[in-house]
Amino acid sequence: MSLQSALEQLATYRSQNTRASQDIFEKGTLVLQKNGLKKMGDDSWAFLEQLTLAAIDVGRLDVADQCLQLLSDKFPGSPRVDCITGIRMEVTEPPEIALKYYAELLEADSANAAIWKRRISILRRIGKIDKTVTELTQYLDTFYTDVEGWLELADIYATCNQYEYSLQALMHVLLLAPQNPFHVLQAAETAYTAGDLPLSIKMFLTVIDMTDGDDSESLIESTPLGITVRAWYGVKLCAKRIARDSRLATISSSNTSPPKHVEMLDVLATERLRVVYSSSGQKGEIAKGREGVFTWVATL
């Protein structure tokens, strides 16, 4: 591969925030071997950061240390370089050493979000869940708009079977990113697990409204695909459970109103799932398990 092609591909990876570590390492070392740094100008520093992380990922710490030294010489005291230094430290040093390093950096600059998140990730990795939750909630009090932080908190609570707390964290996610149907689906499934069926079925229907076809295509003409299928499964499960025990429609920690026309929603969900598994052609790849699905929707 030519030097120019390697530089262009690496630039594309950076612009798209792609972490293709092995390919980045191979192309990055080619750039170093051919003295490509001189041709990159100011982009050389972003490239060195990119190559450092890729080298750490593939276990070439010698190359990572070489790049990190160049960055440290150019930007002494830089928060970005400090963060990469911490990541390098995590590879070979005990967690306690990395935690102490991050704590010292946060003492000097408590607004360094990247360092704070690295510290939280170590705490979770070594199993200090209580401390992780405490640090993460403090972080989110400071950086409320960090959607990934709220998703992390929701995941921690879910792994501890604290589904109501997980759902509360996801509510913040929906407030910050209401346009993402995957987040709505996650909240719907968490609400189902937490036993809040009125909220769950409402959110499953919201996912369907966000993803099922477009404005020019009626519900009857469309074929559910992707997460829309999963949402229809959710509607089916919620409707059946409520039909079997009507009291579940009134149990809602979120004070969501009981769903109306549950029987009709059950029938509609059954019809939509039958359409999914009855399709032909490219859309019909999912139809391979149709007999099992047909039996399931008929007997549930």
Side-chain angles (χ1 to χ4, degrees):
M1 173 177 282
S2 68
L3 176 61
Q4 186 60 35
S5 297
L7 290 174
E8 290 175 358
Q9 184 61 58
L10 289 168
T12 299
Y13 283 145
R14 289 197 299 275
S15 65
Q16 297 177 352
N17 198 27
T18 301
R19 192 164 180 168
S21 299
Q22 187 62 47
D23 196 38
I24 289 173
F25 177 77
E26 292 172 358
K27 290 180 171 59
T29 51
L30 175 67
V31 172
L32 291 180
Q33 291 167 2
K34 296 188 176 182
N35 296 318
L37 281 176
K38 297 178 181 179
K39 298 182 179 181
M40 298 180 71
D42 290 339
D43 286 341
S44 61
W45 309 114
F47 159 74
L48 286 172
E49 181 179 338
Q50 179 187 32
L51 181 56
T52 303
L53 294 173
I56 291 173
D57 282 347
V58 301
R60 287 296 305 273
L61 300 183
D62 55 329
V63 176
D65 290 340
Q66 177 186 351
C67 297
L68 190 54
Q69 187 61 54
L70 291 172
L71 289 168
S72 299
D73 292 344
K74 177 65 177 179
F75 305 104
S78 164
R80 290 180 69 90
V81 176
D82 287 342
C83 186
I84 300 173
T85 302
I87 294 172
R88 167 64 180 86
M89 189 180 295
E90 289 179 41
V91 179
T92 54
E93 300 294 335
E96 294 73 20
I97 300 297
L99 285 172
K100 182 180 178 182
Y101 171 75
Y102 289 140
E104 291 172 352
L105 291 176
L106 286 173
E107 219 174 289
D109 180 13
S110 61
N112 192 326
I115 296 297
W116 212 338
K117 292 173 81 170
R118 293 307 309 175
R119 178 175 167 80
I120 291 167
S121 71
I122 294 178
L123 289 170
R124 186 177 186 186
R125 188 170 70 245
I126 63 178
K128 294 186 176 181
I129 301 302
D130 290 343
K131 182 65 174 175
T132 303
V133 171
T134 299
E135 290 262 350
L136 185 51
T137 51
Q138 290 176 354
Y139 168 82
L140 290 170
D141 282 341
T142 306
F143 301 98
Y144 176 79
T145 57
D146 190 332
V147 173
E148 290 184 357
W150 286 109
L151 288 171
E152 181 76 7
L153 184 60
D155 183 64
I156 292 172
Y157 280 132
T159 56
C160 297
N161 298 328
Q162 305 258 350
Y163 294 108
E164 290 192 4
Y165 288 115
S166 180
L167 186 58
Q168 289 174 18
L170 289 171
M171 291 300 103
H172 291 281
V173 173
L174 297 185
L175 185 63
L176 295 167
Q179 74 284 359
N180 191 320
F182 290 95
H183 295 160
V184 182
L185 180 65
Q186 183 177 352
E189 293 177 343
T190 304
Y192 180 87
T193 309
D196 193 338
L197 295 188
L199 178 62
S200 180
I201 196 170
K202 178 180 178 181
M203 288 191 162
F204 279 129
L205 291 169
T206 300
V207 174
I208 292 165
D209 186 53
M210 295 172 73
T211 61
D212 197 2
D214 54 42
D215 296 337
S216 64
E217 191 174 26
S218 68
L219 180 63
I220 300 301
E221 295 173 342
S222 66
T223 299
L225 298 169
I227 66 170
T228 311
V229 178
R230 192 175 179 94
W232 277 119
Y233 272 118
V235 172
K236 176 70 178 177
L237 287 169
C238 290
K240 268 302 180 185
R241 287 191 62 189
I242 293 172
R244 289 174 179 172
D245 186 352
S246 59
R247 292 174 298 178
L248 294 175
T250 61
I251 301 175
S252 174
S253 59
S254 61
N255 296 318
T256 303
S257 301
K260 299 178 181 179
H261 312 298
V262 174
E263 296 82 1
M264 295 177 65
L265 287 173
D266 182 27
V267 172
L268 180 59
T270 300
E271 186 274 334
R272 291 284 83 199
L273 290 172
R274 284 182 174 275
V275 167
V276 171
Y277 289 90
S278 299
S279 303
S280 59
Q282 185 178 359
K283 292 182 179 179
E285 288 298 315
I286 199 172
K288 293 178 181 178
R290 63 167 60 115
E291 292 303 323
V293 174
F294 287 173
T295 301
W296 180 80
V297 298
T299 57
L300 184 64

